[in-house]
Each structure stands twice: as C-alpha cells, then as structure tokens.
Amino acid sequence: MASNQHNSYGPGHAIPHVKHHEWRTAENSATHLIAHLQSGAAQNPKVRVLDVGAGSGTITASLAKYIPEGHIVATDISDDILKRAKFHVDKEGIKNISYQKASVYELPFANSSFDITHAHQVLTHLDAPVDAIREMLRVTKPGGIVSLREVDMAMWCWWPELPALQLFHETLVKSMVDNGGSGNAGRQLLSWSMKADVPRENIEMTFGTWCHCLPEDRESMADSMIERLRFGPMRVRAIERGIATEKDIDSMMEAWEKWKVTEDAVLGQTSGEAIIRKA
Amino acid sequence: MASNQHNSYGPGHAIPHVKHHEWRTAENSATHLIAHLQSGAAQNPKVRVLDVGAGSGTITASLAKYIPEGHIVATDISDDILKRAKFHVDKEGIKNISYQKASVYELPFANSSFDITHAHQVLTHLDAPVDAIREMLRVTKPGGIVSLREVDMAMWCWWPELPALQLFHETLVKSMVDNGGSGNAGRQLLSWSMKADVPRENIEMTFGTWCHCLPEDRESMADSMIERLRFGPMRVRAIERGIATEKDIDSMMEAWEKWKVTEDAVLGQTSGEAIIRKA
C-alpha cells in the first residue's frame, strides 16, 4: 500500500472543466489501447476491463463499445463524478459498465481480476505513482495488460505565442506540483513501470497528442481554462501559495479569451503512453 | 517566388546523421498522410505524388509502396543525398520513384502537376516557409492535397533529465534559428497555410510523435547527435556564433553517451501535421 497521504484531484469538478473532459474518447485519448482491447475481445469476448480514475467516463463509454460482450468497471475517488458518468452512459443505452468508488492505491478487487487495467491522466495527480502502478498490476491477470496515458506538461505548445498563456502554463505546472502531482509524468511512464518491477521488455512506450484548433474545440478548451482561473482551485491555490497574483490571473483569462477567437490558434499537448504486459 | 537568399540544409549529411534519418518511414513519420494516399490511389491508381526535400528517401520509399501503380517524384536541394536515396531504393527493387534536384521555392514542374505534394521536416529549415507552401500549392492539382509535417522543438522531452541534454536542446534550437530556420514550426503550420491564402476550412491540423526508447533507437539517435556535436555544422556554428563553448559541447556528448546506455531512457518529440485541400 501507498504510505503517502495524498489522494486528491487538484483541478476539481466544475461544469466547464468537466464538459471539456467529456470531449475525451477512446479515439482521441486511448488509441494506444484500442488494438489490444480488440485482440483481447477476439480471444475472449467476455473480457473484463478496469478503468481507474474514470472521471466523467466518456473514455470508458467509448472503450465499452469495442467489447460489447465484455464488461468495464469504472472507478473514481469522487462519487459525484461517477454519478454524472452513469447518467450519460445510461442515456446512451450502454449496459456493460458498472461504477465503484475507489482509490487507485487500494483497489477493492481480488488479485488477477481484470484482463486490462487502464488509467488516463491519473498518475500525474499522484505523489506515489509507482505504488499506483503496482496496485493496478495486482488486480490484472498474468498475461493481461496495464495501460497508462499521462500528459507531459513540458510538451505543450500554443499559437499565437501570447505571453500570458506562457504564464498560465507555468502557473498550471506549479499548481500541479504544489498539489503533490508532477509536470513531467508522460516521459516517466517507462521509468515508473520499471520501478514497479516490470521487466523492460514487457513495456511498450509511445507518445500521443491532442490538437485543439477547430472553433468548437477552442471554445471548450478556453472556457475550461477560464473557469479554472475565475472560480477553480487553480486560482485559489495559485494566489494562496504565491504562485501567481490576481493581476496575473486576470491577464491569463484575457489571453484565453483572445486565443479562443483567433482563427489560426492552436494548442498542442503530448502525453506519454505505456502498455505493460503483466508477466 | 521567395525573395530570401536562404536555402541551405543546416544539419549537413554526415553518415550517422543520415543513418538516423533512414529510421524514418511513412508509418512513423507520415501517418497523417497514409489514409489520403490510399483514398487517392483508390480513386486513381496512377496517382502522382511529389515528395519535397526527400533527403535520404526512406519516407518516399515507404510511401511508394502504398501506390504501386502511381509514381513519386522525390526532390532535394542536394544531389548527393538523392543519389544515396536512389541507391537504397534500387536495392529494394522499388520502381515507381524518380529523382530531381530542386529548391522548394522553385519547383521545376508545371502548375497542377501532382495529386499529392508532401514535405517532411523541410519548412523548419527555411526563412520563408509561406513562400514554400505557395509553391507546393502551385504544383498541386485543384482538389489535391499538400501534406506537411514539421517538428516543434519546444515539444521535446527526455528522461533522465540530464542538465547537459537541456543545454543541447537549447543549443540546437539556437543553431536552427541562427541558420534562418525556426524552432516552433510545428505549431505554425495552420497559421502559415492561412498566410498562403488557404481558407481555414481546407486545413486539417494534427500533431504526431516520435518516441525513442528501445536500445537500437537510443543508439541511432545518440550517435547521430554525438556526430553533430563532434564534427558537424552544429559544433562549428555554435562555437563560431558564441552559442556554446567547447566545454559545453563536451558535456553534451557525455550526456548523450550516458542517455544511450540508460535502460529507462526516453526521448519524445512532437511534430505539427497539416493536410491542406487545394481549392
């Protein structure tokens, strides 16, 4: 078990932030996993999948479509966000997902319960990511897969190069680190997996990207960021901890408003991805 | 026509550097193009493709396999590198590629000559990238595609976080900019295409990645970088222009040697990608 005390989701669950998360699907956020999910379902249609830290569950829902006879358990430390996930999935008529409140450090499942255990954008918020990987490996069957995807904050870029977006990015990284997480999780997935005693040859490491540049994607992204800055824990923490001033935060909100309506605006983000084969 | 005088390939063509380039294939460096190539060939098997700045031609060769009845013209400003490309392609028995020395600013082809015009890692070395896009559009048929892929140097990450690799990265970006290129081409592909008068709705922008972490990939990458530092134009330029000292460069070579043999080492690199539909 993890000896640390840190177990919170820093960004919080305000509506524009959650709505932006709901842009995420298997197709834009878990491409590294899809082929494995398909081959798992081909071998055993009743494949069992665990989605750790599933949040508002749009990735879970789109993964479920690849395994119509299989089943996914979605966990999160927040009951409220799981209720939202369930509401949307019920509306879509997806039947093969169940929900359970759980910490990634103490998954309430027996050893070797799942064929595939997946986490997206979870380890970056933790101060003991290696413990989390060990726990995910524990509940995965031998021969099964642990699948990880975590952003690497250094691998962001934006156009136009507004100075207040640079300041926003620095403030965001400092806030994540201040909350016990890390700004460079993506590049460490191989290293963390090896620290969890996975042999090198059982780990496949890649990177994946998001590109926000279509008008509707710009709006969703910018509104999510502006909400964090106006009301979210990012504002409170940044000011309390001396990471940024009120004036800095005002300039960041203005920059996102400008970026949102700039026709050639782009935001690129890169995540590390790992497929770990459990021995 | 471009009014600028800059038209050189900064990194040069030393063997370890070229060998590293030969790791590049359509599958790891042009995934954004493959579906368009396939649908182009399905509509017209005799599809004509131009690969601008093809260098040692391994991407060209693997693109050619998708269009067995089509034809690719590979251009480069260096005759020597095209000879190397032809030598390898001839050995592989690929028949549908021809070679022609040309500058991207003055392509020796009539208007509307090609169904698809592709450039990988070319615009980043130019001081007039918008002129280059205009010229690529000129030789492309209406309804055809211009396909671009350019690194964004800010979107690199490496593990372990050796300080001399950080210094190497800063030196590399300064050298590219000093030679008339740019360190942030990837994020600007949408903007540059719009400056070349392409309507926003005709441009599809994405990002793609490379991950170097397998032992053989680490060796090829590190040897290429060490060669640049030991003998290449990067060393000469960095010292001449006061970008780095001999001692700095020695520390960078040591860091790459260490990175090469580190089992959990990773290098991630992200490129912008654009598919432009010519009106």
Side-chain angles (χ1 to χ4, degrees):
Chain A
M1 258 319 301
S3 58
N4 73 85
Q5 298 301 308
H6 168 68
N7 208 10
S8 77
Y9 179 60
H13 286 126
I15 288 302
H17 187 63
V18 167
K19 276 199 178 155
H20 173 63
H21 277 185
E22 290 169 357
W23 170 86
R24 300 176 183 180
T25 63
E27 290 73 25
N28 65 33
S29 303
T31 47
H32 66 296
L33 175 58
I34 290 175
H36 297 280
L37 199 61
Q38 287 171 321
S39 69
Q43 280 169 41
N44 169 21
K46 296 196 178 298
V47 61
R48 281 180 57 81
V49 176
L50 174 64
D51 191 6
V52 173
S56 45
T58 48
I59 297 175
T60 324
S62 58
L63 289 173
K65 293 176 187 168
Y66 289 88
I67 52 166
E69 296 177 60
H71 186 83
I72 307 195
V73 180
T75 65
D76 203 278
I77 49 167
S78 159
D79 246 347
D80 287 345
I81 200 70
L82 286 180
K83 275 177 199 146
R84 184 176 171 102
K86 186 172 184 321
F87 176 77
H88 282 286
V89 157
D90 286 352
K91 266 204 313 193
E92 284 192 53
I94 300 170
K95 304 283 188 202
N96 56 340
I97 304 177
S98 59
Y99 299 87
Q100 192 160 346
K101 182 177 171 174
S103 158
V104 60
Y105 295 128
E106 288 179 282
L107 294 168
F109 308 107
N111 294 352
S112 308
S113 296
F114 296 94
D115 299 286
I116 295 174
T117 304
H118 175 62
H120 179 266
Q121 200 61 357
V122 174
L123 304 184
T124 197
H125 299 296
L126 305 179
D127 60 7
V130 175
D131 291 330
I133 295 172
R134 280 188 205 280
E135 182 66 353
M136 292 175 72
L137 282 163
R138 181 186 67 75
V139 302
T140 305
K141 295 177 189 171
I145 279 171
V146 171
S147 159
L148 307 172
R149 192 176 195 265
E150 299 292 333
V151 71
D152 200 289
M153 291 299 295
M155 293 173 89
W156 278 41
C157 72
W158 50 90
W159 186 264
E161 291 173 326
L162 305 172
L165 289 186
Q166 173 74 36
L167 184 62
F168 169 84
H169 182 257
E170 288 164 14
T171 304
L172 181 58
V173 175
K174 284 180 191 163
S175 298
M176 288 170 72
V177 172
D178 189 66
N179 193 46
S182 47
N184 55 358
R187 74 191 69 179
Q188 292 188 78
L189 294 184
L190 175 60
S191 180
W192 286 344
S193 303
M194 289 172 71
K195 283 181 184 134
D197 296 322
V198 181
R200 172 68 186 88
E201 61 271 23
N202 290 8
I203 309 161
E204 198 181 308
M205 170 93 199
T206 53
F207 287 93
T209 63
W210 286 335
C211 178
H212 285 80
C213 64
L214 294 171
E216 62 272 25
D217 293 342
R218 290 200 313 259
E219 188 174 339
S220 152
M221 172 60 76
D223 286 350
S224 158
M225 296 305 181
I226 290 164
E227 186 283 332
R228 289 187 190 199
L229 292 166
R230 185 165 288 139
F231 303 114
M234 181 177 170
R235 180 193 191 93
V236 176
R237 187 176 305 121
I239 292 172
E240 271 181 11
R241 310 285 295 199
I243 295 170
T245 65
E246 292 268 359
K247 202 177 148 196
D248 290 337
I249 289 177
D250 288 346
S251 73
M252 297 175 208
M253 289 195 289
E254 273 167 40
W256 278 114
E257 291 288 2
K258 184 171 176 189
W259 180 86
K260 180 164 83 169
V261 297
T262 301
E263 213 191 351
D264 64 354
V266 172
L267 177 71
Q269 295 163 296
T270 302
S271 294
E273 302 165 333
I275 295 289
I276 304 169
R277 181 72 63 176
K278 184 173 172 181
Chain B
M1 259 317 303
S3 58
N4 73 86
Q5 298 302 307
H6 169 70
N7 208 8
S8 77
Y9 178 60
H13 286 125
I15 288 302
H17 187 63
V18 168
K19 277 199 176 154
H20 173 64
H21 277 185
E22 290 170 357
W23 169 87
R24 300 177 184 179
T25 63
E27 290 73 25
N28 65 32
S29 303
T31 48
H32 65 297
L33 175 58
I34 291 176
H36 297 280
L37 199 62
Q38 287 171 320
S39 69
Q43 280 169 40
N44 168 20
K46 296 196 177 300
V47 61
R48 282 181 55 80
V49 176
L50 174 64
D51 191 6
V52 172
S56 46
T58 49
I59 297 175
T60 324
S62 58
L63 289 173
K65 293 175 187 168
Y66 289 90
I67 51 164
E69 294 177 61
H71 186 83
I72 306 194
V73 179
T75 65
D76 203 280
I77 50 166
S78 159
D79 245 346
D80 286 346
I81 199 70
L82 287 179
K83 277 178 197 144
R84 184 177 170 102
K86 185 173 186 321
F87 176 77
H88 282 286
V89 157
D90 286 352
K91 266 204 313 193
E92 284 192 54
I94 300 170
K95 304 284 188 199
N96 57 339
I97 305 178
S98 59
Y99 300 87
Q100 193 158 346
K101 183 176 170 173
S103 158
V104 62
Y105 295 127
E106 288 178 282
L107 294 168
F109 309 107
N111 294 352
S112 308
S113 296
F114 297 94
D115 299 286
I116 296 174
T117 303
H118 175 62
H120 179 266
Q121 199 60 359
V122 173
L123 304 183
T124 196
H125 299 296
L126 304 180
D127 60 8
V130 175
D131 292 331
I133 294 172
R134 279 188 205 280
E135 181 65 352
M136 291 175 72
L137 282 163
R138 182 186 66 76
V139 301
T140 304
K141 295 176 189 171
I145 279 171
V146 171
S147 158
L148 307 172
R149 190 177 197 264
E150 298 293 334
V151 72
D152 200 289
M153 292 300 295
M155 292 174 88
W156 278 40
C157 72
W158 48 90
W159 186 265
E161 291 174 326
L162 305 173
L165 289 187
Q166 173 74 35
L167 185 62
F168 169 84
H169 181 257
E170 288 164 13
T171 304
L172 182 58
V173 174
K174 284 179 191 164
S175 297
M176 287 170 73
V177 172
D178 190 66
N179 193 46
S182 47
N184 55 358
R187 74 190 69 178
Q188 292 187 77
L189 294 183
L190 175 60
S191 179
W192 286 345
S193 302
M194 289 173 70
K195 284 181 183 136
D197 296 322
V198 180
R200 173 66 186 87
E201 61 271 23
N202 290 9
I203 308 161
E204 196 180 308
M205 171 92 197
T206 52
F207 286 93
T209 63
W210 286 335
C211 178
H212 285 81
C213 63
L214 294 172
E216 61 272 24
D217 292 342
R218 291 200 312 260
E219 189 174 338
S220 153
M221 172 59 77
D223 286 351
S224 158
M225 297 304 181
I226 291 164
E227 187 283 333
R228 289 188 190 200
L229 292 166
R230 185 166 287 138
F231 304 114
M234 180 177 170
R235 179 194 192 92
V236 176
R237 186 177 306 121
I239 292 172
E240 271 181 13
R241 310 284 296 199
I243 295 169
T245 64
E246 292 268 358
K247 202 177 147 196
D248 290 338
I249 289 178
D250 287 346
S251 73
M252 296 176 207
M253 288 195 288
E254 274 167 40
W256 277 113
E257 291 289 2
K258 185 172 174 187
W259 180 85
K260 179 164 83 169
V261 296
T262 300
E263 214 191 351
D264 64 355
V266 172
L267 177 71
Q269 294 162 296
T270 303
S271 293
E273 301 166 333
I275 294 290
I276 304 169
R277 180 74 61 179
K278 183 173 171 180

